[in-house]
């Protein structure tokens, strides 16, 4: 999906709405939602998925390395968790549910070992880099399947959810890194960081270097370019849009139904 | 629209069939709004826009479907502007019936799953049943799963059996027919069904809540309740057009097709009386089901909707 931040923002492409949600100051209801999220984080968070769904989806996720993000993985997950094949009807979004489960649980997991208060005070941009790279690392086990996930995220039915999740991830990274400056650059950062993260994630799907050092370098360079963030987004937008189109076409020719 | 077969001579099964009157014990008809009404007069339910004694609704519904049994398909075509076939396709495809093919070599500790038992309630014409079997067989390569078609009305069942002769499932062990009221499925054990479907049936039931509870009982834990039904159109313009069409044109078509205007008037009115999507979700949850997100799927702007419920393990 993340790559589709760019595509959605590109004038010739779909979805103006999700784009606004990312790049414009939020309505107050949204602000409240963000505050509440952080507030609850300080105490304890309610589990993001009901127990039944968690059980099936986490079992399904363990089949992704072999089956990919497919109905087969979902079915295996349901069977492992002691449910029926028809139980997969619990997930009208089909295999995208597994993708979404991964995105949400990994975003929330970031808070588990967030930088300590001292670090936070020291260096926000260093913290962002560490956190973003940590989040990228969480894709390691399924990185060879991640292009399937990206393609699912880009389908019109799932794009709004995907973009929203990307925005939440961006918020989370900024918050955990200690950027609590809501008034000034927060929302510019949010869109910019989302774009940077999304492109690094896509980069990683083709990175064969040890421990993904090339992805790390890529991420570092992009973040350093952060000053020129506005032109950068435009550039990434069209580049990513192209990648996205090519990616979907590529997968279609491989017989993945999108 | 000018299909010659549309205007075939109506048969008047209804005149010969006298639907059995059974005593009926439920106090209110299903949904909450109606419950309040029912307090005032515990013994009536609606029959279209008429209020009739509950004991009578079953037999009057019976008479309606007996009288339209053979022209039923034509009627459906006209009433939904031919879209009902697409809806049914969509319904069955989204349920993905049959055991799913998976590369069975995976580490899963579970033993190979048992063949599925699918139950199509109010399945009269067999429309859904044939689709369930085709999907399981052709899409999922599952040649073991079975479908039980159940309907309260023997005339509808024999119409379905007749039609089954033209399908690959004629005389197959995978297809069986049972006459039963959806509110009392005493021939079925608890927790014996994988998937329960009901298409354009539930709005005719006297006690919808009782039928939902019975669905919950017969389903296995992890099993799915799925309903396709006419619903409330969200868009006001479309709603206006559809209402005008259904109240005006459909009974007239009914008269032409089946020679029975009253029966079709009932069909139209029963659609109008059916609870909204949101109310119906409440009823499904009340029966014990978990309702997934999104809670329902509107088809053609909400003229029909698909609802699903999951029986927790
Ligand atoms: C509109 S038809 C639907 C037939 C088929 N499912 C389809 O979609 O073409 C409604 C069916 O519900 C049946 N029915 C009405 N009340 C019922 C009840 N209480 N229990 C079971 N079936 C009932 C009628 O006999 C009729 O066949």
């Amino acid at each position: 999906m993340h790559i589709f931040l760019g595509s959605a923002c590109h004038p010739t492409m779909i979805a103006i709405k999700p784009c606004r949600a990312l790049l414009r100051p939020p309505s107050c209801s949204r602000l409240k939602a963000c505050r509440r999220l952080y507030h609850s984080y300080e105490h304890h968070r309610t589990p993001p998925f009901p127990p039944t769904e968690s059980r099936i989806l986490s079992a399904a996720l363990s089949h992704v390395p072999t089956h990919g993000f497919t109905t087969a993985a979902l079915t295996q997950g349901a069977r492992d968790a002691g449910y029926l094949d028809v139980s997969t009807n619990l997930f009208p979004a089909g295999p995208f549910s597994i993708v979404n489960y991964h995105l949400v649980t990994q975003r929330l997991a970031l808070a588990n070992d967030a930088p300590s208060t001292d670090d936070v005070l020291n260096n926000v941009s260093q913290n962002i880099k560490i956190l973003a790279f940590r989040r990228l690392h969480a894709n390691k086990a399924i990185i060879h399947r991640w292009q399937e996930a990206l393609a699912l995220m880009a389908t019109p039915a799932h794009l709004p959810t995907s973009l929203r999740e990307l925005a939440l991830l961006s918020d989370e990274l900024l918050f955990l890194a200690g950027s609590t400056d809501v008034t000034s650059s927060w929302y510019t950062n949010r869109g910019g960081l989302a774009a940077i993260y999304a492109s690094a994630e896509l980069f990683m799907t083709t990175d064969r270097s040890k421990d993904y050092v090339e992805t790390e370098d890529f991420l570092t360079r992009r973040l350093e370019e952060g000053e020129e963030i506005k032109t950068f987004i435009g550039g990434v937008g069209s580049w990513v849009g192209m990648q996205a189109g090519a990616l979907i076409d590529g997968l279609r020719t491989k017989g993945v139904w999108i | 629209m000018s299909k010659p077969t549309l205007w075939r001579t109506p048969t008047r099964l209804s005149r010969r069939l006298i639907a059995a009157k059974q005593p009926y014990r439920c106090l209110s008809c299903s949904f909450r709004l109606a419950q309040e009404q029912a307090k005032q007069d515990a013994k009536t339910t609606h029959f279209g826009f008429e209020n009739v004694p509950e004991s009578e609704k079953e037999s009057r519904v019976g008479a309606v479907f007996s009288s339209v049994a053979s022209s039923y398909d034509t009627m459906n075509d006209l009433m939904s502007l031919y879209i009902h076939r697409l809806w049914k396709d969509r319904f069955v495809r989204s349920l993905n019936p049959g055991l799913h093919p998976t590369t069975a070599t995976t580490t899963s500790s579970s033993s190979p799953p048992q063949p599925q038992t699918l139950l199509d309630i109010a399945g009269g014409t067999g429309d859904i049943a044939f689709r369930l079997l085709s999907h399981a067989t052709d899409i999922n390569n599952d040649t073991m799963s079975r479908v039980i078609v159940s309907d309260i009305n023997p005339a509808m069942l024999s119409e379905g059996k007749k039609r089954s002769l033209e399908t690959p499932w004629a005389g197959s062990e995978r297809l069986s027919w049972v006459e039963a009221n959806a509110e009392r499925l005493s021939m079925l054990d608890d927790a014996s069904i994988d998937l329960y479907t009901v298409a354009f049936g539930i709005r005719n039931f006297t006690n919808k809540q009782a039928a939902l509870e019975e669905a919950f009982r017969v389903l296995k834990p992890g099993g799915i309740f799925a309903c396709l039904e006419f619903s409330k159109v969200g868009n006001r313009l479309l709603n206006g057009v559809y209402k005008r069409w259904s109240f005006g044109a459909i009974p007239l078509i009914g008269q032409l097709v089946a020679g029975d205007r009253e029966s079709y008037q009932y069909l139209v009115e029963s659609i109008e009386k059916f609870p909204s999507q949101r109310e119906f979700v409440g009823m499904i949850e009340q029966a014990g089901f978990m309702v997934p997100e999104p809670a329902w799927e509107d088809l053609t702007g909400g003229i029909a909707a698909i609802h699903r419920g999951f029986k927790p393990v």
Side-chain angles (χ1 to χ4, degrees), chain B residues 61 65 72 76 88 122-125 127 151-153 156 180-183 199-201 203-205:
Chain B
V61 171
F65 285 106
Y72 178 73
N76 255 349
K88 287 172 181 170
T125 53
D127 250 23
D151 200 294
I152 200 172
N153 189 312
M156 287 299 272
N181 184 338
E183 295 157 24
F200 304 116
R203 69 171 188 278
N204 304 298
F205 300 173

Side-chain angles (χ1 to χ4, degrees), chain B residues 24 57-58 61-66 68-69 72-73 76 79 84 88 91 120-129 131 149-157 163 178-185 196-207 211 228-230 266-267 270:
Chain B
Y24 196 63
K57 176 166 176 174
E58 204 171 299
V61 171
V64 167
F65 285 106
S66 297
V68 301
Y72 178 73
D73 266 3
N76 255 349
M79 195 148 150
H84 76 106
K88 287 172 181 170
F91 181 56
D120 184 35
I121 288 289
T125 53
D127 250 23
I128 300 298
R131 281 176 171 81
V149 182
S150 176
D151 200 294
I152 200 172
N153 189 312
M156 287 299 272
L157 282 174
R163 291 186 44 201
V178 183
E179 188 184 322
N181 184 338
E183 295 157 24
R184 298 179 289 273
L185 300 172
Y196 173 118
T197 55
V198 55
F200 304 116
I202 203 164
R203 69 171 188 278
N204 304 298
F205 300 173
T206 314
N207 187 340
L228 172 61
E229 188 54 270
F230 286 108
Y266 160 75
L267 292 185
S270 68

Side-chain angles (χ1 to χ4, degrees), chain B residues 265-276:
Chain B
Q265 188 70 35
Y266 160 75
L267 292 185
V268 175
E269 290 178 359
S270 68
I271 292 170
E272 187 58 24
K273 281 236 168 182
F274 193 68
S276 71

Side-chain angles (χ1 to χ4, degrees), chain B residues 222-244:
Chain B
I224 295 288
F225 163 85
C227 169
L228 172 61
E229 188 54 270
F230 286 108
S231 208
K232 296 277 187 280
V233 179
N235 180 316
R236 270 172 51 207
L237 188 66
L238 186 57
N239 191 19
V241 172
Y242 181 69
K243 265 198 192 137
R244 196 159 296 186

Side-chain angles (χ1 to χ4, degrees), chain B residues 272-286:
Chain B
E272 187 58 24
K273 281 236 168 182
F274 193 68
S276 71
Q277 286 89 326
R278 203 170 297 284
E279 287 169 315
F280 191 51
V281 166
M283 291 167 61
I284 295 171
E285 285 174 336
Q286 202 187 319

Side-chain angles (χ1 to χ4, degrees), chain A residues 50 52-53 56 63 66-67 71-73 75-76 79-80 82-93, chain B residues 94-96 99-100 102-103 106 108 110 113 116 194-195 220-224 290 292-294 308 310 313:
Chain A
T52 305
E53 299 181 21
I56 295 178
H63 289 281
T66 36
H67 291 299
T71 311
T75 301
Q76 284 292 357
R79 288 184 192 171
D80 286 359
Y83 294 81
L84 309 170
D85 284 20
V86 286
S87 305
T88 52
N89 270 286
L90 193 51
F91 308 102
Chain B
S94 77
L95 294 171
N96 196 7
L99 290 179
H100 306 169
T102 54
T103 346
T106 39
S108 62
S110 43
Q116 292 181 343
D194 289 79
L195 174 64
K220 296 176 187 169
I224 295 288
M290 242 170 87
E293 271 304 317
R308 284 183 256 206
F310 169 87
V313 170

